[in-house]
Amino acid sequence: MNIDLTKVRNIGISAHIDSGKTTLTERILYYTNRIHAIHEVRGKDGVGAKMDSMELEKERGITIASAATYTEWKGHQINIIDTPGHVDFTIEVERALRVLDGAVLILCSVGGVQSQSITVTRQMTRYKVPRIIFINKCDRTGANPARVIEQVREKLNLNAVPMQIPIGLEADLEGVVDLVRMKAIYFDGDNGEKVREEEIPDHLKDEAEAAREELLDAASMYSDELMEAALEGNATPELINEAVRRGTLALELAPVYIGSAYKNKGVQPMLDAVNAFLPSPLDIENIAYDLDNDEAEVRTTSDPDDPLVALAFKLEDGRYGQLTYIRTYQGTIKKGDTIVNSRTGKKVKVGRLVRMHADEMEDIEESHSGDIVALFGVDCASGDTFCSGGLNYSMSSMHVPEPVISLAIKPVDNKAQNNMSKALNRFTKEDPTFRTYVDEETGDTIISGMGELHLDVYIERMKREYNAEVEVGAPQVAYRETITQRAEFDYTHKKQTGGSGQFGRVAGYMEPFEEGEYEFVDQIVGGVIPREFISSCDKGFRKAMEKGSLAEAPITGVRVVINDGSSHSVDSSDVAFQQAAIGAFRQGYAKASPVLMEPIMKVSVEGPSEFQGAIMGSLNQRRGMILGTSEENDYTVVDAEVPLSEMFGYSTDLRSLTQGKAEFTMEFATYRPVPKNVAEEVIKARQKKDK
Amino acid sequence: MTNTELAGRNPLKIFSTAADGSPVDRRMGLVISRAGLGKTALLVQIALNSIISGKQVVHVSINQNLDKARAWYDDIIRDVAGKDATELIDKVNRNRLIMTFKETGFSRPKLEERLNDLVYQNIIRPAVVVVDGFIFHDACRDILADLRELAAAMDLNLWFSAVSHRDDDRRSAAGVPAPCHEVDDLFDTVILIEPEGDGSKLSLNAVKDETGSVKPGKVLSLDPTTYLVMEG
C-alpha cells in the first residue's frame, strides 16, 4: 500500500474539562462515517459516547484514558487522540502531545480560557505542537466567542486569528461565515450532516468584510504573494490557506473556528481546517537518540523504506491482553515482523496489528511511518522504543511529572490481595505517574500519583476491573529519630535464671553522625570484650536503632564508639552482648537529646502572578520555608521547602485557592527535626495507638 | 568560624556603621565594576552581613534563575564557614528570600506589591534588598528614583550592581563610571571594585559615600576567591 504522507494527520483534541471534547470527537466520527449514530456523553440511551470506553468514564462523564481512533476526511487519514481534561491526568495529555503532529484546542464560548487551557497550551508549546482553536458551545446562553478570542491572545499569548464569524449566537446560532471564501455555511439534516452554502446575510456583510481584512493582515505576514494580492483586492482562498498554514506550522498563528458540537454546527469546517492547516508527519522534525553512538541526536526520516523506529506511548489492558499504542516515526511495521525493544534489547514478534476505533478494532497487515496503530500481546512499558534493521534508537524521553500524593491501601481479603497485585502491576505499566511500593516500616502498600482524583480513579478501577476491594488508609509520613549531642553509656546485661546465665558489659559513647545513617567504631583494647562478640555489639546497636524511644521511628545519623566492657568466661554469649548493646544504646540515647525528624519536600508551585501572595501564604501556613520566587510573563513559580506531613490535601486547597490555575510538584529534599509542639503531637498520637 | 568572626571579616561591615559607631542611614548603594570582578559576590556578602546581624533580606535577581542565585550564597558560605556551613545556610534560608524577574517585569509597583505580600503574609520582613542584574540604561532614572522613594517609604536599604565597560570612559563629577554616571546622585554610597596590582587582590574603592561611614578612596583589599578581607 502506498500512502501519501502529506495526507496523514495525527491530531490531539485537548482542552478544559467539560468544554465538549468527547462530544466533538463523537461528531467527527459521525460525519466521517466511522459511526452511524450519535450518543451523548451522559446520554439517556445508556450507550454513551464512543470515545468514553471505560465504564467509569461513562458514569462520571469525564474522559480518563485517551482512546485513539482512526478516521478519514476528504482523502486525508486522521488519527485522533481524545485526551482527558482534568489536571490530574495531564500525563495522558502530555503523552498524546508527544506523539501528535498537531492539535485542536477546544475552548468553551462561555467559560473561555480556563486554567487547564493554560496548562495545555504550555504543554503544546513544550512539544512544539501547531494548533487550531475550536470555540465550542456557541449555542449556550452567554456565548461570546469574541471575548474568548481576546482571552486567547491575552492569557495564552497566542496569535488567534478568526477564520469565521458566527451567524447568530446562543439559541439563535444558525451557522458560520467562512472568511476565506466569504460564504455563509449552514448545517442541515437531523444531525447537521448536510452542509449548505449561501451568500452572506446582508446584516453580517460589513462585519464579515472587517473580519476578513483582519485575517488577511495576519496571514499576509507569512506570504508576500498574499500581501500583494490582498493589496490588489484579489486574494484567493488558496493563497490565504497557504499563508495561514505557514503561520500555523511556525507556531506563530492559531486559526480560530467556532460552532457547537452538541447542536451539530461548525464541525465539518473545523475538519477541513485540520486537513488544510495542521502538519503532516513530513512537516514535523522528530528527534531520536542513537544509543549506540553516545545518544547522539538523529532526525527520523519518515521514510517507510527505512528501518523501523516506533514509540510505544500508551498501554491498555484490553479484553484480549495488553494493547500497545505505537507511533511510527520511520519505516514500516508488518504483521509477523520481528522488532527490538531498545530499552530491554528483547526481540518481539508482531502478532496482531490493529487500527483502533475507541474500543473496537480493525485488523491491518502493515502500518507506515507517521501512523498511529496498536499492537497486541507485546510486553513493554509506556515510553519504550521499537526498532528494526540493527538500529538502536530511543525516542526522546517523555516529560514525566513526579507523583505528589501517596496513600496506603490494604486488600480486604486474600482474593483481593492477588487481584490488587495484578491491578497495580498493570497500572504502573500503563501510567508512569502512578507508582507503588511496599513501605518496609509499616508493611503497607503505598500508591502514589498526581492527585487525589488520580488515585481515587485507580482505586475504583481496582474494584471494578480487577475485583480488588481495598481499604484506603490516611496518608502516612515516615518519621525518623536522631541524636543531637554526644552521650556516654556503660551498661551491664546480667541474667541468672538457672542454668548458664547471660553476662555482658558494653561501654563507650555515641555522637551525631552527619555523613551517613550509622557508623560503628570498635576501640576495644586488651580483649575486654572478646573479638567474637564485637559483631554482636554491632548487631545489638543496629537492632536498637530500628525503633527509637520517641515515636518508635527508625533512628539514623548515629556514630557509636565502644571503648570498654567486660565479659564472663561462661555466661557471655552472642545473645548476651547483643542485649548489652541494646541496653547500652538506650541508655546513651536517652542522654543524647534525641529529636524526631520528618521528611521535607522541595515544593514548586506554578501559577499566575496574581496568586503569588495566596500561594506563598498557603505554603507558609503549612510550615513551609519559602526559598524564592521566579516571575515571568505574569506567571510565577514559588519554591519552598515544606514538611511532607503538611502537604496532604494541598492539591485540593491550591486548586480552590487559585481557581484551579496553579499547579505544584514536589520531591523529597531532606530530613529535618520536627518543631517541638508538632513532635509532641506525633509522639502522643503514637503512644495512643500503642495503647 | 563563628558568625561573629565571619561578620568581622566581612568587607561590608565597615559600611553598616558610621565612623562614630552609630547605624548608617543609607537608602541606596551601588557596587560597580567591569564584568567578572565579583559584583554578585559582593552583593551576597552585603546580604550575608545583614543576615548575620539579625536582619532579613530579599535578593532580587534579574534575568537569572533562582538556583543560580542560591548557589552563590551556598558557595560563599561553604568557602568561609567550613564545617559550620550547614547551620549558617539554614539560617540564611530562613532570613533571605530570592526573587527572580525578567528585565521587563521589574518595576517599583511590582517590587512593592511583592514586598507587601511578604510582610502581610508574615513570611519575611526585609530590611535590605539587593538587586543583582539591573540594567542601567538612559531611561532608568525614573525607575531608580521610584525605587529610592520606595526604600524610604518601606525603610529599606537597597543595593544594586552595575557593569562598567573598559572602553567607556565617561564618569560623573564624583568619579562614578558609566553607565551610572548620570544617576549617581540617587545613590548614597558607590563602591568600585578594581583589580589590584597583579590581580591577586581586589580593591574596594568608595567612589562616593554620603553616609559618613567611610572616607572616599581605597577602603579594603579583598581575597578574590572568598571575598574576605585579606589578612596580614
Side-chain angles (χ1 to χ4, degrees):
Chain A
M1 188 177 83
N2 235 348
I3 55 154
D4 180 0
L5 274 185
T6 60
K7 292 195 168 166
V8 173
R9 298 287 178 272
N10 292 314
I11 62 162
I13 296 186
S14 58
H16 194 272
I17 195 164
D18 257 358
S19 59
K21 291 179 303 296
T22 307
T23 307
L24 179 70
T25 312
E26 194 71 1
R27 295 307 185 273
I28 293 174
L29 296 180
Y30 179 77
Y31 297 133
T32 57
N33 296 318
R34 303 304 292 189
I35 57 172
H36 304 290
I38 288 173
H39 305 285
E40 301 312 331
V41 178
R42 277 177 254 225
K44 291 187 186 110
D45 54 12
V47 182
K50 197 79 191 171
M51 296 291 282
D52 282 326
S53 55
M54 268 194 264
E55 199 187 334
L56 190 61
E57 295 184 3
K58 284 178 192 169
E59 189 176 283
R60 294 198 174 182
I62 57 172
T63 313
I64 297 163
S66 33
T69 192
Y70 168 86
T71 194
E72 288 171 12
W73 179 250
K74 296 186 180 170
H76 286 67
Q77 301 180 7
I78 304 176
N79 289 303
I80 304 169
I81 299 275
D82 184 33
T83 51
H86 194 280
V87 76
D88 281 350
F89 305 114
T90 41
I91 187 66
E92 296 278 358
V93 182
E94 300 238 4
R95 279 197 296 202
L97 296 181
R98 176 67 186 79
V99 298
L100 293 172
D101 301 322
V104 180
L105 175 62
I106 307 185
L107 297 170
C108 169
S109 73
V110 184
V113 173
Q114 287 162 303
S115 63
Q116 182 67 0
S117 319
I118 299 172
T119 314
V120 169
T121 301
R122 284 215 323 276
Q123 288 164 337
M124 285 189 188
T125 307
R126 186 184 300 147
Y127 291 108
K128 299 198 174 99
V129 179
R131 68 216 89 169
I132 61 174
I133 293 169
F134 183 69
I135 301 179
N136 196 17
K137 301 192 180 183
C138 285
D139 60 307
R140 290 276 182 92
T141 308
N144 188 348
R147 186 180 60 98
V148 179
I149 289 168
E150 269 316 302
Q151 286 180 348
V152 170
R153 289 175 183 152
E154 280 169 20
K155 293 192 184 177
L156 302 182
N157 209 12
L158 290 179
N159 182 15
V161 178
M163 305 298 287
Q164 303 171 328
I165 57 167
I167 303 175
L169 270 178
E170 303 180 343
D172 301 327
L173 177 71
E174 290 177 48
V176 294
V177 173
D178 177 342
L179 299 174
V180 177
R181 291 182 305 123
M182 289 305 267
K183 293 277 180 200
I185 303 175
Y186 299 94
F187 306 88
D188 299 338
D190 288 347
N191 294 311
E193 67 276 12
K194 291 179 190 145
V195 178
R196 173 167 53 94
E197 264 187 31
E198 299 281 344
E199 289 307 311
I200 301 172
D202 286 344
H203 70 281
L204 284 174
K205 274 190 175 147
D206 289 349
E207 191 188 331
E209 281 298 340
R212 181 181 160 92
E213 282 303 310
E214 210 183 305
L215 164 63
L216 291 179
D217 278 353
S220 301
M221 302 296 290
Y222 306 95
S223 160
D224 291 342
E225 215 180 326
L226 174 65
M227 193 178 282
E228 275 173 32
L231 284 174
E232 289 162 14
N234 51 14
T236 61
E238 291 72 29
L239 279 179
I240 300 173
N241 283 347
E242 197 201 316
V244 171
R245 180 176 173 81
R246 250 183 242 167
T248 309
L249 295 191
L251 299 173
E252 288 172 10
L253 195 149
V256 180
Y257 288 79
I258 50 183
S260 161
Y262 183 65
K263 292 280 177 189
N264 308 313
K265 291 189 194 330
V267 178
Q268 296 95 325
M270 191 274 295
L271 274 171
D272 291 342
V274 168
N275 287 355
F277 306 132
L278 289 182
S280 78
L282 294 176
D283 295 315
I284 297 288
E285 179 173 297
N286 286 300
I287 299 293
Y289 297 95
D290 186 350
L291 300 178
D292 288 341
N293 191 13
D294 217 8
E295 300 197 5
E297 287 190 4
V298 197
R299 193 184 163 173
T300 54
T301 60
S302 292
D303 187 337
D305 296 328
D306 278 342
L308 177 78
V309 179
L311 173 71
F313 67 95
K314 184 171 173 55
L315 309 179
E316 266 178 21
D317 205 13
R319 259 166 278 168
Y320 316 103
Q322 179 173 307
L323 194 61
T324 307
Y325 289 82
I326 57 163
R327 153 85 198 242
T328 315
Y329 288 92
Q330 68 175 46
T332 302
I333 186 166
K334 286 184 190 146
K335 209 168 136 179
D337 275 358
T338 302
I339 54 177
V340 180
N341 182 332
S342 64
R343 181 178 58 89
T344 61
K346 276 189 189 157
K347 285 185 179 167
V348 181
K349 192 162 166 138
V350 181
R352 222 176 132 192
L353 203 58
V354 292
R355 247 188 228 302
M356 293 305 297
H357 173 191
D359 58 357
E360 287 162 26
M361 57 192 81
E362 170 194 336
D363 275 88
I364 52 171
E365 291 299 311
E366 61 179 39
S367 155
H368 299 269
S369 57
D371 212 354
I372 290 178
V373 293
L375 302 175
F376 252 113
V378 169
D379 186 32
C380 68
S382 191
D384 284 356
T385 304
F386 289 108
C387 299
S388 72
L391 285 187
N392 191 17
Y393 286 1
S394 174
M395 293 306 297
S396 44
S397 71
M398 289 183 273
H399 172 90
V400 177
E402 283 300 309
V404 295
I405 185 167
S406 297
L407 284 175
I409 54 172
K410 212 179 257 172
V412 290
D413 52 31
N414 272 347
K415 196 175 140 226
Q417 167 84 51
N418 286 340
N419 291 344
M420 182 183 88
S421 306
K422 268 188 219 159
L424 292 180
N425 190 23
R426 163 62 41 199
F427 298 158
T428 45
K429 263 191 174 179
E430 273 179 20
D431 178 353
T433 57
F434 179 77
R435 318 251 170 102
T436 173
Y437 66 95
V438 174
D439 186 327
E440 283 179 15
E441 283 160 31
T442 61
D444 288 340
T445 300
I446 309 290
I447 55 171
S448 53
M450 299 313 296
E452 281 145 320
L453 182 57
H454 188 209
L455 297 184
D456 274 358
V457 165
Y458 280 116
I459 289 164
E460 284 282 317
R461 279 187 65 189
M462 261 186 245
K463 208 187 293 175
R464 283 160 191 255
E465 295 171 29
Y466 292 85
N467 202 13
E469 194 86 38
V470 294
E471 280 170 14
V472 180
Q476 292 281 332
V477 164
Y479 290 100
R480 298 261 186 280
E481 296 182 22
T482 194
I483 55 170
T484 55
Q485 64 179 51
R486 183 188 147 120
E488 313 265 333
F489 53 77
D490 184 347
Y491 186 82
T492 307
H493 174 69
K494 211 193 249 173
K495 218 170 173 188
Q496 210 72 51
T497 50
S500 62
Q502 288 185 10
F503 181 87
R505 180 181 150 251
V506 177
Y509 63 92
M510 62 174 64
E511 62 185 1
F513 177 55
E514 280 184 16
E515 295 77 23
E517 298 205 336
Y518 167 69
E519 190 174 70
F520 174 69
V521 183
D522 166 24
Q523 288 180 359
I524 296 292
V525 283
V528 289
I529 296 177
R531 291 253 58 89
E532 65 263 37
F533 298 136
I534 297 291
S535 65
S536 313
C537 296
D538 183 18
K539 240 187 253 173
F541 289 131
R542 285 177 192 272
K543 226 178 242 178
M545 287 178 65
E546 283 171 9
K547 267 186 186 180
S549 59
L550 299 176
E552 295 182 4
I555 299 166
T556 61
V558 181
R559 176 190 281 122
V560 183
V561 181
I562 52 168
N563 52 23
D564 199 6
S566 30
S567 63
H568 184 273
S569 55
V570 178
D571 290 348
S572 284
S573 64
D574 173 44
V575 175
F577 269 100
Q578 278 196 40
Q579 286 303 321
I582 292 174
F585 189 92
R586 288 187 181 149
Q587 188 191 59
Y589 188 67
K591 294 188 284 182
S593 302
V595 289
L596 192 64
M597 312 255 282
E598 60 182 341
I600 303 291
M601 311 301 282
K602 182 171 188 265
V603 178
S604 194
V605 190
E606 193 175 347
S609 297
E610 58 186 293
F611 296 113
Q612 187 177 311
I615 291 169
M616 288 198 296
S618 70
L619 294 168
N620 200 36
Q621 267 173 12
R622 290 169 183 265
R623 296 196 280 124
M625 181 167 77
I626 315 257
L627 299 174
T629 63
S630 312
E631 211 162 321
E632 193 179 339
N633 300 335
D634 290 333
Y635 238 75
T636 297
V637 181
V638 179
D639 281 345
E641 288 185 350
V642 190
L644 175 63
S645 60
E646 302 283 342
M647 288 305 289
F648 297 120
Y650 188 60
S651 50
T652 316
D653 279 9
L654 183 67
R655 211 170 286 154
S656 64
L657 203 63
T658 61
Q659 298 160 20
K661 290 178 188 162
E663 295 175 338
F664 79 100
T665 54
M666 65 175 182
E667 58 186 348
F668 173 76
T670 184
Y671 269 93
R672 280 221 192 94
V674 180
K676 228 175 176 179
N677 55 336
V678 182
E680 277 166 13
E681 273 173 36
V682 175
I683 293 166
K684 229 186 261 169
R686 179 59 65 124
Q687 285 164 348
K688 214 171 159 187
K689 202 174 146 195
D690 287 346
K691 279 177 196 167
Chain B
M1 195 180 296
T2 64
N3 288 353
T4 332
E5 281 167 347
L6 202 62
R9 288 178 65 191
N10 187 301
L12 265 298
K13 186 184 169 282
I14 53 160
F15 294 112
S16 56
T17 49
D20 62 1
S22 59
V24 169
D25 181 25
R26 178 188 299 109
R27 285 297 154 226
M28 297 230 290
L30 173 70
V31 174
I32 183 164
S33 80
R34 293 205 313 263
L37 289 185
K39 291 174 299 299
T40 305
L42 198 52
L43 285 188
V44 168
Q45 289 277 16
I46 292 172
L48 286 175
N49 181 49
S50 308
I51 292 167
I52 289 166
S53 55
K55 292 176 185 148
Q56 295 194 308
V57 174
V58 164
H59 180 114
V60 173
S61 187
I62 294 169
N63 291 337
Q64 251 198 7
N65 72 37
L66 206 127
D67 290 337
K68 219 166 166 185
R70 262 190 95 180
W72 270 108
Y73 282 83
D74 294 356
D75 289 350
I76 289 179
I77 293 171
R78 280 199 192 96
D79 269 350
V80 299
K83 234 185 125 195
D84 301 323
T86 317
E87 199 185 317
L88 190 54
I89 286 174
D90 194 53
K91 178 174 177 159
V92 169
N93 278 342
R94 290 185 184 284
N95 293 288
R96 172 216 62 204
L97 195 135
I98 300 168
M99 289 181 178
T100 74
F101 292 93
K102 289 283 154 200
E103 188 190 334
T104 47
F106 182 69
S107 62
R108 172 190 167 160
K110 182 122 283 177
L111 183 66
E112 189 170 8
E113 193 186 332
R114 296 290 166 257
L115 294 179
N116 279 332
D117 264 350
L118 295 177
V119 174
Y120 177 72
Q121 303 275 0
N122 208 12
I123 293 165
I124 206 171
R125 191 175 286 274
V128 176
V129 176
V130 297
V131 183
D132 192 26
F134 182 84
I135 311 285
F136 286 83
H137 51 79
D138 294 346
C140 69
R141 183 174 191 86
D142 288 351
I143 304 173
L144 289 170
D146 258 4
L147 288 166
R148 190 179 168 86
E149 244 178 63
L150 173 70
M154 294 188 78
D155 197 17
L156 295 171
N157 210 318
L158 243 61
W159 278 94
F160 290 79
S161 64
V163 192
S164 62
H165 296 279
R166 198 190 292 261
D167 46 6
D168 188 343
D169 50 14
R170 290 174 298 165
R171 288 191 177 236
S172 71
V176 176
C180 307
H181 59 296
E182 286 180 343
V183 288
D184 66 342
D185 55 307
L186 293 170
F187 294 94
D188 307 298
T189 306
V190 180
I191 296 169
L192 188 62
I193 310 174
E194 285 173 323
E196 205 177 317
D198 59 356
S200 61
K201 288 180 187 176
L202 290 175
S203 74
L204 289 193
N205 293 313
V207 188
K208 176 185 173 187
D209 182 52
E210 289 177 354
T211 64
S213 63
V214 65
K215 278 186 194 151
K218 180 182 156 187
V219 186
L220 288 171
S221 291
L222 296 181
D223 179 333
T225 43
T226 61
Y227 260 74
L228 292 177
V229 179
M230 297 275 273
E231 281 174 323

